[in-house]
Amino acid sequence: MSLCGLTLLASGCPDPEARFNEFLEASEDHRLDAGEGEGDGDGDGDTGVEGIPDMNGTYLFAVETNLGPDLPMQFSTTISNMVIAEDGSGATADFSFQPLSLDQGETLTPRECVGEPLNYEGVEFDADGNYEIDMGLVKVTGAANPITGSDIEATLVTTGRIVHSNALCGDVAGMVTVPLEAPLEPGSFFGALRIDDDGCDPATLPTTFPYRCEMVPPADSPDLPDVTGNFLFAVETNLGPDLPMQFATTVTFTASADGLGGVADFSFQPLSLDQGEILTPREFVGDPLVFDDIPIAADGSFEVDMGLVKVTGAANPITGSDIEATLLISGEVLDMDTMCGDVAGMVTVPLEAPLEPGSFFAASRLADDGSDPSTLPTDFPYKCSQI
């Protein structure tokens, strides 16, 4: 499968190396920043595991590179023939990495087994569960490359550790040589989470999964979604049913040390809306509303007590008037791409009116920062019942 076959059937295929060069130039700051504070990073080699667990099984192995932050390549990875030394001094195992197909810019589709597996025998673990695989020169089909869709050739070294009996994680180093030369460090990581089958059935693969060490859930909490990213956050009030106010909302999530919940920073950027409209013009307007360190519980529930907020009338599709209101948002993270919940409080300007019952919100993940009206979805939820 080529990049042409994926996205440009009608218009022909551009030079992949030129497009890749453009991507590298545009993402340079992001890629360099990604190297700060990511991965294990402590350098002590301690997995926190008492004894080496039996890791035989299949894992969803996701690799995030500095060339495509938050667009991890994915492999159905089998660990087999693991032999643990009787004295606990180490272990050996065989690894087989089966690439999974990904459309350009996607993390969940189609995820079918594609191309030949990459096999490595006799990988050695130390007593703490640390290991290294010098993969040498590897070749991966472009059908498994969600960044550009081009075939990849690279020299790779993965340095990993056992987190617990269901997960591994670590760092990726090396050099991409095709479609051009680019180093993979700093800022390239992986996470691996145990799955129940051979990983070739897209319907059974997890939709939330780690691709950095800090995203790995604890052993008793396999589904902790990372909601870091940009969302279209739509609020329907009882004052204007089916005329939701809209915000391009940036969320930065940090999991707690035990993985049971975490905190998130929210920044709500109002989008302009003509009176009676929900799709036009939707441009950034006014100042963002920023709320830091919002606790998110292990079950995904959260509250944002926004206090007194002021929103320009340019973002009010109901009357077009400036708004002042005290707001309390009570929500739940449904998965890494969606949140929803209720809105309570009191509008005080341009008149006094309570917001409950009958005020709701829903948030759906965006592909960009929401500043381009042409890329915003035209069909989106604004209450839980629509998700």
Side-chain angles (χ1 to χ4, degrees), residues 364-384:
S364 49
R365 187 177 291 275
L366 295 173
D368 55 24
D369 66 359
S371 61
D372 183 354
S374 68
T375 65
L376 292 172
T378 57
D379 184 16
F380 54 89
Y382 44 86
K383 45 192 165 190
C384 289

Side-chain angles (χ1 to χ4, degrees), residues 46-53 55 127-129 161-165 167:
D46 183 8
T47 67
V49 175
E50 185 177 349
I52 300 176
M55 302 302 290
D128 292 320
R161 61 187 179 94
I162 298 172
V163 182
H164 51 68
S165 60

Side-chain angles (χ1 to χ4, degrees), residues 227-286:
V227 289
T228 296
N230 300 302
F231 294 79
L232 179 61
F233 196 100
V235 177
E236 178 194 51
T237 71
N238 55 7
L239 306 178
D242 298 317
L243 281 178
M245 296 181 64
Q246 296 169 51
F247 302 82
T249 299
T250 301
V251 181
T252 304
F253 177 74
T254 303
S256 61
D258 60 7
L260 301 177
V263 296
D265 300 337
F266 288 80
S267 178
F268 299 88
Q269 171 61 60
L271 298 177
S272 60
L273 287 167
D274 292 336
Q275 193 171 353
E277 297 292 334
I278 63 171
L279 299 180
T280 55
R282 296 205 291 182
E283 299 172 342
F284 280 16
V285 62

Side-chain angles (χ1 to χ4, degrees), residues 92-117:
T92 60
D94 300 337
F95 282 69
S96 179
F97 299 85
Q98 170 62 59
L100 298 178
S101 59
L102 285 166
D103 291 337
Q104 194 174 356
E106 297 293 332
T107 62
L108 299 179
T109 54
R111 295 205 294 182
E112 298 171 343
C113 287
V114 63
E116 297 298 322

Side-chain angles (χ1 to χ4, degrees), residues 17-368:
E17 183 168 340
R19 293 190 72 241
F20 202 79
N21 276 310
E22 290 173 4
F23 178 85
L24 285 176
E25 183 177 352
S27 65
E28 180 177 8
D29 291 341
H30 192 164
R31 290 187 287 111
L32 293 177
D33 291 344
E36 301 175 5
E38 301 288 1
D40 182 23
D42 57 14
D44 62 8
D46 183 8
T47 67
V49 175
E50 185 177 349
I52 300 176
D54 181 358
M55 302 302 290
N56 283 305
T58 306
Y59 299 78
L60 179 60
F61 192 101
V63 178
E64 177 193 51
T65 72
N66 57 6
L67 306 178
D70 296 315
L71 280 179
M73 296 180 64
Q74 296 170 49
F75 301 81
S76 172
T77 297
T78 301
I79 300 177
S80 60
N81 302 318
M82 188 170 193
V83 178
I84 302 172
E86 290 186 3
D87 62 1
S89 60
T92 60
D94 300 337
F95 282 69
S96 179
F97 299 85
Q98 170 62 59
L100 298 178
S101 59
L102 285 166
D103 291 337
Q104 194 174 356
E106 297 293 332
T107 62
L108 299 179
T109 54
R111 295 205 294 182
E112 298 171 343
C113 287
V114 63
E116 297 298 322
L118 309 170
N119 299 314
Y120 303 90
E121 297 181 351
V123 175
E124 297 183 353
F125 294 79
D126 68 16
D128 292 320
N130 301 301
Y131 70 95
E132 183 175 280
I133 304 177
D134 186 346
M135 304 178 79
L137 178 64
V138 301
K139 299 180 181 181
V140 179
T141 174
N145 174 6
I147 304 171
T148 66
S150 302
D151 290 347
I152 296 172
E153 294 185 18
T155 54
L156 298 178
V157 176
T158 59
T159 303
R161 61 187 179 94
I162 298 172
V163 182
H164 51 68
S165 60
N166 293 318
L168 310 96
C169 73
D171 301 315
V172 178
M175 175 74 72
V176 175
T177 54
V178 173
L180 83 169
E181 292 192 358
L184 289 173
E185 69 265 56
S188 298
F189 317 103
F190 78 87
L193 197 64
R194 189 184 293 272
I195 54 180
D196 294 329
D197 55 19
D198 66 0
C200 287
D201 182 357
T204 65
L205 290 172
T207 57
T208 59
F209 51 88
Y211 43 88
R212 309 180 198 119
C213 281
E214 71 269 20
M215 296 169 65
V216 173
D220 59 355
S221 178
D223 295 311
L224 182 67
D226 179 8
V227 289
T228 296
N230 300 302
F231 294 79
L232 179 61
F233 196 100
V235 177
E236 178 194 51
T237 71
N238 55 7
L239 306 178
D242 298 317
L243 281 178
M245 296 181 64
Q246 296 169 51
F247 302 82
T249 299
T250 301
V251 181
T252 304
F253 177 74
T254 303
S256 61
D258 60 7
L260 301 177
V263 296
D265 300 337
F266 288 80
S267 178
F268 299 88
Q269 171 61 60
L271 298 177
S272 60
L273 287 167
D274 292 336
Q275 193 171 353
E277 297 292 334
I278 63 171
L279 299 180
T280 55
R282 296 205 291 182
E283 299 172 342
F284 280 16
V285 62
D287 295 324
L289 308 171
V290 178
F291 304 91
D292 292 335
D293 298 326
I294 303 301
I296 298 182
D299 63 1
S301 60
F302 65 93
E303 278 192 355
V304 184
D305 187 346
M306 304 178 80
L308 178 64
V309 300
K310 300 179 181 181
V311 179
T312 175
N316 175 5
I318 303 170
T319 66
S321 303
D322 290 349
I323 297 172
E324 294 185 18
T326 55
L327 296 178
L328 175 65
I329 292 174
S330 300
E332 180 182 2
V333 175
L334 302 181
D335 55 45
M336 69 184 298
D337 296 320
T338 48
M339 296 174 273
C340 71
D342 301 317
V343 178
M346 175 73 72
V347 175
T348 53
V349 173
L351 80 167
E352 290 194 1
L355 289 172
E356 70 266 40
S359 297
F360 314 102
F361 83 88
S364 49
R365 187 177 291 275
L366 295 173
D368 55 24

